[in-house]
Amino acid sequence: MAEKVVIIGGGAAGPKTAAKLRREKPDIKIDLYTQEDIVSYSACGLPYFIENIIQNPETLIMRTPEDFQKQNIDIHTKQQCIKIDTDRQTVTIKDLISNNIYDVQYNILVIATGATPLTPNIPGINLKNIFTLRTIQDGVKIKEKMLQSKKAVLLGGGYISVEVMEALVHNNIQVTLIEKNPQILAMFDKDFADMITDYIIGRNPGQVSILTNEEIVAFTGNENQEVTKVITSSGKEIETDFVVLGTGVRPNTDFLIGSDIKLGVNNSIKVDKTMRTSNYGVYAAGDCADKFNLVTNRYSWVPMGSTANKEGRCAAINIAGGSCLFDGILNSTITKYFDLTISIIGISYKEALELGFQPEYAIVTKRDKAGYMPNPETMTLKLIADRNTHTLLGLQGIGEGDVNQRINAVIPAILGKTKLESFMNLDLPYSPPYSPAIDPVLNAAQIIYQKING
Amino acid sequence: MAEKVVIIGGGAAGPKTAAKLRREKPDIKIDLYTQEDIVSYSACGLPYFIENIIQNPETLIMRTPEDFQKQNIDIHTKQQCIKIDTDRQTVTIKDLISNNIYDVQYNILVIATGATPLTPNIPGINLKNIFTLRTIQDGVKIKEKMLQSKKAVLLGGGYISVEVMEALVHNNIQVTLIEKNPQILAMFDKDFADMITDYIIGRNPGQVSILTNEEIVAFTGNENQEVTKVITSSGKEIETDFVVLGTGVRPNTDFLIGSDIKLGVNNSIKVDKTMRTSNYGVYAAGDCADKFNLVTNRYSWVPMGSTANKEGRCAAINIAGGSCLFDGILNSTITKYFDLTISIIGISYKEALELGFQPEYAIVTKRDKAGYMPNPETMTLKLIADRNTHTLLGLQGIGEGDVNQRINAVIPAILGKTKLESFMNLDLPYSPPYSPAIDPVLNAAQIIYQKING
């Protein structure tokens, strides 16, 4: 049994590990080091803080260092881990205030250092008012600038950009989104990405532009070194008051170079189902760790707050001597753009083709309740199954109706390798306010089944 | 290949069979006989018609006989099947207008005669304004009476009574519900039934009474033979303008007595997964057929509109020479009482004990979105798993939050016999507007897992 557990990182997985471990083991010593000045906050809530649905950024903080102290968990803020030595079982920490460097001994180490936004190497990138969004401070800066602005550019068409787009549009900003690929939201099939684009453009005509197949080649600024314009690969010059970069993130694992901790996809840390790394006494959890994809049976790297929480919890149970296996992920994601729910689980049709499946699909657009009920909302679902095995591979769903309900019905079916012929008759509960008599997602399964069976 | 398919019954399963069979086989002869004067209507929508959320009862009719005629499906209304002869492959039909009796030849017969409300044998039961609710005419009569009334009594505490209660309360009727058991909604555990009762009472204090452990021993009426009062087993006398009976239904299978079609639970028709009866050329689908319960592995009889549609579709595919196996049901049901969603799937804790499982459960009350998001709704979930196999047995859910989404996540997990240790880490999609980082239903699974593992 470990006497001293050291946790590196204070986002989601680290604090979760600490809190769960304390509940399991009241007497163990737990120290958490983080380079930030707060711990245990929800980065996923930041777009809603910018939008001003949430006014006080402190509400995004789940627990303060003082809360942890009451549980006898020592939080060390502004302390960056710069090296680990698994032979000596030490981590080397740099105090970001005094610049002192010191070693800390551990029996069990948990790496939960998260991820950092990528900053593209574009001329002018160091101008003022070009932001990334990861920390609460980032959110505060973007919100302050937004409140004095009229125009913004978003670079990259991922979920964060869609969420920030909603925040800015809600605050009457003129927004241009620039995406180098032919579509936004790369994990979706193009037909769905295009429907989402149409919804975004159509909701606020004239206020929003989405430029695909377009890159930023330079930022230009004024005499105060503030960004004023972006210049694109096709020669467009777009005036702007600020820019938010949504060009992806990378795992914070640079400090592991030279250690015996194996790295995997995208330099994320290789972990097994117990959340152990290649070194038995070292665990990793959250955005810095790799993820096994249960649909593709491949390792991937998909940083998600929900996964971070589950992995942190599992690591704690295993450290405490219990048993928790984290089998993997299904690439489940969801977000919204105002009233439109946007969700994908598993893999898209194009990804299924790339991976060598023999995919078949059905697209259905249906009401979310019985046809005669007032105020129906609609949804469009694209279900994908494999012609060889008849198992489900993925679902894309968008709509103002309850997409989430249909997404959730497919997730355990993918996990359990439920065949199409069973799934299409699945006993989803029916009542006129909640669905048509045959649920849209079952309808999609029926159509695929018919396609496969000629 | 059958030349002539005769379908008996015009509710949900019969018309569904006819329509699907026509799509599969454009040239086959299809005749549908029904004792009613309409076909293809949604009985499940009737409470919302009474409530006046739906104004025109005809919107509950999916397709008219004329619509079917355009597809070359002959609908024969007011024609009751009184006998079948599987040796001669005939059905004997009584014309309810002329009283003529005649035989009809079939190659394939589909029995979809549905169910009829039970009428309890109570003195005064034949007084006017004592209604059952099954057909559109029933709904029209209840609505007409309600609009001239102030007080009503509902007998029986099942889903229909809860839905009619909403309709009546919405129309300012003083309602008393009388239930002979210690709780309403018998399929729920008592703790959940009591919470639902409290919600119903609390929403309209003084307007609603729910009397459990109470039976009606007599109805008394006025000189016009209209009910004016019910007298209960404990001696209460309750004045009322009308009564709605919600004391269950029974399958319409009396005409099969003496035939070689085997009956099962509650005299419902025994069917296999292809929807065939004990006679190879005779299918049955919908409320008249028995259901295999995939949780208990026993045959049961649970009449549901969604199941009727799926079974009718399966029967049609098999008749057309294709392959569709209807594996069974999971007892999935859902309804609402104003903003409260009420749902159960699988079995309750008490039923699990009765059936010899070793159940463990967790009850969680959680918000349906991240804690910092505005306007959260809550839900209470009771998840049940088996200590021996670690598989899930059922979920009860109530709340103003999105219960349906959690219910749907459990349904394929029960079907796929997903173990608790996998389910608790299930990759349900997360975003602050849609759930906490660890979804409430996963939280419940974690708690059971901890209980089982000490």
Side-chain angles (χ1 to χ4, degrees), chain A residues 411-425:
Chain A
I411 291 172
I414 295 180
L415 185 73
K417 304 200 184 302
T418 306
K419 287 188 190 295
L420 210 46
E421 31 276 75
S422 284
F423 185 80
M424 72 181 184
N425 288 323

Side-chain angles (χ1 to χ4, degrees), chain B residues 156-274:
Chain B
Y159 272 6
I160 290 179
S161 288
V162 169
E163 291 165 3
V164 172
M165 173 94 83
E166 174 185 308
L168 302 185
V169 167
H170 182 74
N171 285 278
N172 299 313
I173 304 293
Q174 182 84 24
V175 188
T176 304
L177 186 150
I178 296 173
E179 164 61 52
K180 68 177 177 201
N181 292 308
Q183 68 174 69
I184 62 168
L185 300 171
M187 60 290 227
F188 283 83
D189 283 319
K190 187 158 189 306
D191 49 3
F192 266 58
D194 287 349
M195 283 187 274
I196 297 163
T197 299
D198 289 348
Y199 184 94
I200 293 173
I201 300 287
R203 188 184 184 280
N204 298 78
Q207 197 187 339
V208 171
S209 302
I210 295 181
L211 308 179
T212 51
N213 295 309
E214 193 80 82
E215 294 185 64
I216 294 179
V217 294
F219 300 98
T220 58
N222 62 16
E223 65 282 4
N224 296 325
Q225 293 298 303
E226 296 164 329
V227 68
T228 54
K229 208 186 274 186
V230 306
I231 298 163
T232 75
S233 45
S234 76
K236 289 193 178 67
E237 300 197 4
I238 302 164
E239 291 187 8
T240 191
D241 298 319
F242 67 102
V243 174
V244 181
L245 303 173
T247 47
V249 291
R250 66 187 183 88
N252 287 328
T253 55
D254 288 352
F255 69 102
L256 295 173
I257 292 168
S259 79
D260 69 340
I261 305 297
K262 273 196 195 136
L263 302 184
V265 186
N266 280 28
N267 283 328
S268 59
I269 301 166
K270 278 214 78 58
V271 289
D272 65 15
K273 290 183 181 186
T274 67

